């Protein structure tokens, strides 16, 4: 048997034992196993290589994040996590028994909401920032970099997305609800596209009468 296949087979035999453990013990075991794998990983210098699930109450927001999210965007974030699950861990710094958020303040807020919290058993996914960036100044800088690196959607890009969704059969209401837009925004993107067929079934306002 090839070496890799043998290692996987041996690991699977051990992993079957995990199913016998209660949730808390299983999560603890999985976290330890991931840390051991991380030690031997060629990507050990990358935080995302070692995602840990920790009790939600141990994750706290920082006191310096300048990023604010308007209510519609927060609602969209909650819908995203509800529909797609956590696709990004929360970036944090370990301080005593707490995990202080470096990036993902709003993700941790949503993760503590009743609906999401029940789904993920009261835990949150985190990665720890590199030790070299553990000082307060370095963490603030890291938070700013994360915020600014996300940037904003360019109008042409969003126009293409809206056009593609409408052409795929989505209604304007579908676009509004799933992309967190209001009706006027959808109309503006349709206008920017310059495609008359997108207005074929559009209901125009009668406010001019």
């Amino acid at each position: 048997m090839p070496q890799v296949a043998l290692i996987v087979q041996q690991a699977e035999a051990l992993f079957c034992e995990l199913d016998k453990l209660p949730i808390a013990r299983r999560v603890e075991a999985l976290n330890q196993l991931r840390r051991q794998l991380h030690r031997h990983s060629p990507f050990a210098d990358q935080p995302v290589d070692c995602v840990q699930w920790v009790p939600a109450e141990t994750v706290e927001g920082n006191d310096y994040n300048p990023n604010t999210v308007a209510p519609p965007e927060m609602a969209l974030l909650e819908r995203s996590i509800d529909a797609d699950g956590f696709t990004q861990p929360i970036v944090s710094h370990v301080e005593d028994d707490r995990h202080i958020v470096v990036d993902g303040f709003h993700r941790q807020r949503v993760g503590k909401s009743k609906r999401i919290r029940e789904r993920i058993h009261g835990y949150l996914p985190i990665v720890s920032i590199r030790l070299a960036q553990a000082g307060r100044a370095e963490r603030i800088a890291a938070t700013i970099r994360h915020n600014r690196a996300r940037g904003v959607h360019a109008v042409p890009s969003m126009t293409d997305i809206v056009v593609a969704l409408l052409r795929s059969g989505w209604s304007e209401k579908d676009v509004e609800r799933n992309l967190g837009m209001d009706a006027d925004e959808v109309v503006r993107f349709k206008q920017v596209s310059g495609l008359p067929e997108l207005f074929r079934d559009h209901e125009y306002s009668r406010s001019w009468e």
Side-chain angles (χ1 to χ4, degrees):
M1 180 180 292
Q3 186 178 22
V4 172
L6 178 60
I7 292 172
V8 171
Q9 185 182 68
Q10 292 172 336
E12 286 178 346
L14 290 172
F15 294 160
C16 287
E17 296 298 313
L18 290 172
D19 296 334
K20 304 173 184 177
L21 297 174
I23 287 288
R25 294 287 304 281
R26 196 185 318 168
V27 172
E28 178 186 355
L30 287 169
N31 283 341
Q32 290 189 36
L33 286 168
R34 289 193 181 103
R35 290 196 295 271
Q36 290 297 323
L37 288 170
H38 185 57
R39 286 178 55 198
H40 299 279
S41 171
F43 310 108
D45 64 332
Q46 300 297 320
V48 76
D49 189 60
C50 189
V51 177
Q52 301 276 284
W53 287 90
V54 302
E57 61 269 18
T58 68
V59 181
E60 300 178 7
N62 60 59
D63 58 2
Y64 55 78
N65 188 358
N67 185 26
T68 58
V69 175
E73 282 70 32
M74 277 298 295
L76 181 60
L77 176 61
E78 183 161 5
R79 176 170 177 78
S80 172
I81 292 175
D82 188 27
D84 306 320
F86 266 95
T87 57
Q88 297 180 65
I90 296 158
V91 183
S92 68
H93 162 65
V94 179
E95 196 171 279
D96 299 324
D97 294 326
R98 300 173 301 154
H99 303 273
I100 309 301
V101 175
V102 173
D103 181 68
F105 175 78
H106 301 100
R107 293 196 295 281
Q108 65 92 23
R109 275 186 58 193
V110 169
K112 291 178 179 178
S113 65
K114 186 175 186 296
R115 179 183 178 88
I116 304 300
R117 185 185 179 94
E118 289 178 352
R119 182 173 297 181
I120 55 179
H121 309 290
Y123 289 84
L124 287 172
I126 65 148
V127 295
S128 294
I129 199 165
R130 290 170 172 166
L131 291 177
Q133 294 171 278
R136 181 176 173 83
E138 289 78 15
R139 284 186 281 128
I140 292 174
T143 297
I144 301 301
R145 283 196 297 271
H146 278 83
N147 288 345
R148 298 193 67 183
R150 272 188 286 271
V152 295
H153 289 297
V155 170
S157 301
M158 284 304 298
T159 300
D160 292 342
I161 291 170
V162 170
V163 168
L165 292 174
L166 291 171
R167 282 179 163 171
S168 74
W170 278 26
S171 68
E172 291 183 21
K173 290 295 184 184
D174 291 332
V175 175
E176 292 169 29
R177 181 168 59 88
N178 286 285
L179 298 189
M181 296 180 176
D182 59 38
D184 288 340
E185 283 182 282
V186 177
V187 171
R188 283 197 295 273
F189 282 119
K190 288 170 65 174
Q191 291 171 336
V192 170
S193 76
L195 299 173
E197 68 267 25
L198 296 183
F199 289 86
R200 188 173 296 128
D201 300 315
H202 181 75
E203 294 184 10
Y204 291 91
S205 169
R206 301 179 63 85
S207 60
W208 53 271
E209 292 182 344

